[in-house]
């Protein structure tokens, strides 16, 4: 069992995700459409379809509702979506360029998508759009140990790249929970994070160069292969995390690290109070320790794991902290000891450390089983993604608990504790409209609280549709105006993923 | 003796740099001026001066030629510069905002500058501009061990921040050679590199948030304090390295690392051939070793150091490689041994490793003395800054030697070998016009060669004035158009550092 099904709106049957329709469109407006300048949209659509089919081959252009359906939304619970004109399954940069150029001429929106594992609605269809799927562009073009880089097409699945790198003694660190399914193109479009970014950084930190199809259908290369370079503005960094609104990424050059030599050491601690838990995280940070993974699961998650697997985890614990160190020995032993001591000194009721890989796996089970265990509850699950300054994390956790109690919403939280990045998972009974309203209110309140505490409304999932209101709250009108000026400069007709993110 | 004087056009007297006028304006056009819409520039200038003096206090506005002179150019040999209307020495964000707003209204160019240690003319005056100096904004506002970040004003000197961080057990890694003088604001504006970026990244990798005065004089905050965040486009990354052309940076929040526990181990190797030397660098990289510093000095440098200090370095060597490892022991010992073995296996004629700090210092002397030793030659020194893919470095070094021979230009090269970032230092007798022409031709040819080898025309110094032609060659018209669209979006009237970089 993996995390994916739990982060979707569906269930796993024999390992295959079954898409369950979101229950409505409470968040975000996904029906934005580029200006058509008074042309008849139906005639425009028909002409565009004919042009795309003729240019790309009929097999690359899907219009049958049953084949289109799996493409129309990502895994964001409740994010709205519209009805696309068609799905284009691009096989090459030339396909992408031809599609975008045709859409630009017709002023029809283009919504690029990878594997559709996003959690904010960023890849959801808008009415009348061309859904441009990159999933067939799966070539790993190059892995260079001499330059420590790889060149891949956007449809390469994260874990496939990681596996190919491992064979060459190299490592691509960004490891979102969706790594077995999500694509590098999608990871780049959302600037995906993951578990090991607490020490090794997020996707943006690994992108050296991009081949991009611009809003006019032009193919350009930005960035560089060299280790350093300061020519011109950082268009690579600008495109990373732009959620398909500035260009369609058709090739990615990523930086790699040498493979890590040894299995990490794992340390865990249970805490009776969120304040103690927050103090322990702060102590680890302040002492200059650098865990390669530093996670938290809260009491709701512990309870769900116990209920599902009779795991015997202490249910009175407010939270569990899990840390891993990947230093070379004996420094790893010393770092593990120091983390353990920090846990003990800050009120941990129980601590454990692994001495081998099997033991480490067992200690990590509570984190690994979080999503599937919660899924057993058979409820809708809205995944939140706030991030706060580390010293405010305990307060944020307490506020989330309080909001859940007051709003009568069941909230289970997992967190990348070392980053202050919290994923409150908001559980709502299917078909209960009143519960949905309460959840929506809690969602808004959690976002507002994160901003009040100096944090951000999205640490790693992206703005998409779900966080557009939050983004306005966080950035304010002046910065939003700068963001929109950049969007207008690179996509003046607004055809790239309109209505999403900026 | 330090590196600074050698990277300037001047000499050190009692530790104070004496500015020597560049000998002409062969490179770049520094006299760009914003459109004045037909207004009388003199009247415009007088009115602006009156407004600035009234608003900021006369002491903050310099117009006397003798006091203005030290501000009109940076340390780029031969980069042109114009005559400014005045120098504003801002004390606060409010001063900066008032200055930019007044200039925006008057359509007068603003050229921001830090310590003026740049090497590409990026901070040089354009005719009629307001030179906006941030050197008085030197407050370190906050150093937070709990969040591993610091908040500083732009005029804080790099080494001052590093020292303040060290007192708290923290480390700000970016270490340009100018660190004792250059400011964080200037480092951010140019995305400065340094010695340790081979392992720890460049300035952009450490900037979390910025306070910026926009082209209209508005004060905005972009970025975040949190460890992660994906709201909107990465305006921070866009501003880093933008050389004052998109906004004036008035506050910087930088990420910090825990201090490194131990002194590094140093390994050196002399090589008789550049090919062997390149192969050794490649081998270190391919074996997954991660030196924290990995430098090269060539035979010209070795000769100059011998001539200056009778250092007894082998003059028949083509190059010397110097590496440092900062892993915890005993992993550092193992990495040092592996680097030494790689040097030996790839034809090093002589290798040495340090066992203590004093020894390490001695081994590094040839690198540290490179600039002052070359300066003893009493020639003009133009500092190049190309960066090539690591597998092409030996070829690039050979091509530089060949270009120097063929063009009859004396070129001494130091390099951040692990990054493929080369600094050919082009030595030209003062007052020799023919030699200047030959140097200019060699400069252009080195830039073209770097681009041909898949490299970049500037690894860490910036485009400024000297690399504008090279930038056009490297980026091509389509990417340049994107760059200019971004510039036009954020500075529609083109008042921010016109004629520089993009």
């Amino acid at each position: 069992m993996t995390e994916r099904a739990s982060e979707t709106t569906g269930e796993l049957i024999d390992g295959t995700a079954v898409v369950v329709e979101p229950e409505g469109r409470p968040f975000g407006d996904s029906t934005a459409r580029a200006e058509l300048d008074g042309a008849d949209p139906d005639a425009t659509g028909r002409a565009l379809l004919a042009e795309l089919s003729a240019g790309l081959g009929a097999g690359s252009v899907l219009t049958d509702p049953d084949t289109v359906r799996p493409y129309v939304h990502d895994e964001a619970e409740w994010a709205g979506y519209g009805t696309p004109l068609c799905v284009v399954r691009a096989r090459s940069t030339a396909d992408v360029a031809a599609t975008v150029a045709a859409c630009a001429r017709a002023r029809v929106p283009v919504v690029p998508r990878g594997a559709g594992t996003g959690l904010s609605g960023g890849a959801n269809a808008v009415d009348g759009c061309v859904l441009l799927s990159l999933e067939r562009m799966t070539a790993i073009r190059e892995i260079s140990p001499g330059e420590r880089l790889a060149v891949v097409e956007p449809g390469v699945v994260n874990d496939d790249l990681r596996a190919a790198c491992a064979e060459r003694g190299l490592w691509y660190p960004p490891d979102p929970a969706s790594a077995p399914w999500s694509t590098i193109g999608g990871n780049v479009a959302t600037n995906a994070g993951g578990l090991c970014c607490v020490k090794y950084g997020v996707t943006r930190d690994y992108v050296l160069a991009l081949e991009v199809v611009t809003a006019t259908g032009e193919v350009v290369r930005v960035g560089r292969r060299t280790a350093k370079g300061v020519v011109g503005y950082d268009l690579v960094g600008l495109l990373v995390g732009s959620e398909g609104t500035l260009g369609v990424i058709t090739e990615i050059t990523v930086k790699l690290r040498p493979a890590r030599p040894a299995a990490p050491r794992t340390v865990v601690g249970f805490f009776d109070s969120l304040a103690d838990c927050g103090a322990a995280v702060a102590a680890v940070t302040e002492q200059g320790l650098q865990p390669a993974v530093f996670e938290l699961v809260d009491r709701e998650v512990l309870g769900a794991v116990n209920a599902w697997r009779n795991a015997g985890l202490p249910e009175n614990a407010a939270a569990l902290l899990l840390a891993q160190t990947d230093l070379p020995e004996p420094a790893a032993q010393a770092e593990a000891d120091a983390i353990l001591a920090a846990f003990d000194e800050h009120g941990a009721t129980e601590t454990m450390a692994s001495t081998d890989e099997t033991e480490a796996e067992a200690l990590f089970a509570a984190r690994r089983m979080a999503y599937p265990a919660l899924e057993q509850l058979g409820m809708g699950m809205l995944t939140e993604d706030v991030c706060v300054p580390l010293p405010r994390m305990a307060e944020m956790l307490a506020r989330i608990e309080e909001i859940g109690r007051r709003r009568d919403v069941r909230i289970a939280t997992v967190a990348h504790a070392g980053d202050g990045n919290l994923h409150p998972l908001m559980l709502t009974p299917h078909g209960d409209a009143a519960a949905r309203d309460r959840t929506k209110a809690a969602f808004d309140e959690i976002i507002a609280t994160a901003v009040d505490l100096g944090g951000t409304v999205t640490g790693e999932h992206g703005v998409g549709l779900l966080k557009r209101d939050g983004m306005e709250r966080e950035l304010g009108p002046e910065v939003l105006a700068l963001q929109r000026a950049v969007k207008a400069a690179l996509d003046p007709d607004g055809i790239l993923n309109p209505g999403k993110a900026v």
Side-chain angles (χ1 to χ4, degrees), chain A:
Chain A
M1 195 69 185
T2 66
E3 289 196 0
R4 188 204 191 192
S6 355
E7 290 204 353
T8 76
T9 61
E11 290 86 18
L12 274 189
I13 298 175
D14 300 329
T16 310
V18 177
V19 174
V20 175
E21 294 300 320
E23 300 183 11
R25 304 184 180 185
F27 299 155
D29 167 18
S30 71
T31 57
R33 180 154 191 182
E35 270 305 322
L36 290 169
D37 290 338
D40 169 4
D42 292 339
T44 304
R46 279 193 304 272
L48 178 59
L49 267 184
E51 181 182 355
L52 292 174
S53 298
L56 307 174
S60 291
V61 183
L62 311 179
T63 55
D64 175 70
D66 286 339
T67 56
V68 165
R69 191 166 301 121
Y71 293 91
V72 296
H73 63 75
D74 68 13
E75 297 179 359
E77 181 93 353
W78 300 356
Y81 53 89
T83 304
L85 175 68
C86 65
V87 173
V88 168
R89 300 177 72 226
R91 292 154 307 183
S92 65
T93 299
D95 280 0
V96 173
T99 303
V100 177
C103 289
R105 284 190 297 270
R107 298 282 176 92
V108 166
V110 179
V111 178
R113 56 171 278 140
T117 58
L119 290 164
S120 58
N124 286 13
V126 303
D127 279 338
C129 77
V130 171
L131 273 178
L132 179 49
S133 168
L134 288 311
E135 71 193 328
R136 290 207 284 184
M137 294 179 65
T138 58
I140 296 177
R141 292 192 177 144
E142 181 183 358
I143 295 178
S144 166
E147 294 172 80
R148 285 191 194 146
L149 59 77
V151 182
V152 302
E153 289 187 339
V156 171
V157 168
N158 181 302
D159 270 358
D160 292 347
L161 173 59
R162 293 154 64 85
C165 291
E167 284 172 19
R168 313 290 296 267
L170 293 165
W171 179 40
Y172 175 68
D175 61 346
S178 60
W181 304 279
S182 66
T183 61
I184 300 298
N187 294 170
V188 169
T190 56
N191 189 19
L195 263 63
C196 74
C197 49
V198 63
K199 182 167 181 179
Y200 293 101
V202 295
T203 301
R204 182 178 288 119
D205 299 314
Y206 292 88
V207 183
L208 282 171
L210 297 171
E211 181 189 74
V212 179
V213 173
T214 68
T216 55
E218 212 167 27
V219 181
V220 298
R221 303 189 75 90
V222 296
R224 56 195 156 78
R225 274 182 83 103
T226 51
K228 293 153 76 181
V230 292
V231 162
Y233 304 133
D234 181 19
L235 297 182
V236 169
L238 191 64
L239 283 153
V240 176
S242 67
E243 305 189 29
T245 65
L246 297 181
V248 183
I249 293 161
T250 50
E251 187 190 276
I252 301 135
T253 303
V254 292
K255 208 186 298 188
L256 304 173
R257 285 181 175 270
R260 293 182 289 181
R265 281 180 177 266
T266 300
V267 176
V268 302
F270 291 92
F271 294 83
D272 271 357
S273 95
L274 292 176
D276 285 349
C277 182
V281 172
V284 166
T285 305
E286 282 170 20
Q287 287 172 36
L289 304 168
Q290 293 190 287
V293 169
F294 198 5
E295 298 288 301
L296 174 152
V297 299
D298 81 345
R299 87 172 80 228
E300 280 286 342
V301 175
L302 294 174
V305 171
N306 275 346
W308 184 39
R309 285 287 163 91
N310 198 20
L313 300 166
E315 297 222 8
N316 58 338
L320 164 63
L321 286 179
L322 310 102
Q324 292 190 326
T325 165
D326 63 355
L327 291 176
E329 296 291 358
Q333 174 73 63
E335 188 165 57
D337 290 349
I339 294 170
L340 207 64
F343 287 1
D344 283 332
E345 278 158 32
H346 292 85
T349 53
E350 196 180 337
T351 52
M352 285 166 285
S354 69
T355 51
D356 64 41
E357 211 169 335
T358 317
E359 228 174 58
E361 273 300 295
L363 293 180
F364 240 75
R367 173 66 183 87
R368 229 178 29 258
M369 289 195 283
Y371 283 94
L374 290 165
E375 197 158 78
Q376 303 306 311
L377 304 173
M379 300 168 87
M381 183 155 58
L382 182 65
T383 304
E384 245 303 340
D385 176 42
V386 292
C387 190
V388 294
L390 221 42
R392 312 304 291 272
M393 193 175 61
E395 188 176 349
M396 186 72 215
L397 285 164
R399 299 277 286 270
I400 291 167
E401 284 200 348
E402 188 277 324
I403 290 166
R405 269 196 309 275
R406 179 161 42 77
R407 300 277 185 189
D408 189 19
V409 176
R410 190 160 169 187
I411 305 177
T413 297
V414 296
H416 306 305
D419 287 321
N421 185 194
L422 292 84
H423 296 311
L425 305 165
M426 312 178 70
L427 302 157
T428 311
H430 290 295
D432 180 339
R436 271 173 66 87
D437 290 345
R438 294 197 305 274
T439 300
K440 174 70 169 74
F443 175 92
D444 289 341
E445 205 175 337
I446 287 171
I447 284 178
T449 304
V451 175
D452 288 348
L453 295 182
T456 176
V457 302
T458 174
E460 58 182 6
H461 292 171
V463 173
L465 292 167
L466 296 185
K467 297 296 174 67
R468 280 173 60 94
D469 292 347
M471 176 181 69
E472 296 201 8
R473 173 188 281 268
E474 179 177 336
L475 298 185
E478 294 83 4
V479 173
L480 263 181
L482 297 179
Q483 300 267 357
R484 287 177 180 145
V486 170
K487 164 73 174 173
L490 299 186
D491 179 21
D493 293 324
I495 70 151
L496 293 175
N497 211 5
K500 313 292 177 57
V502 172

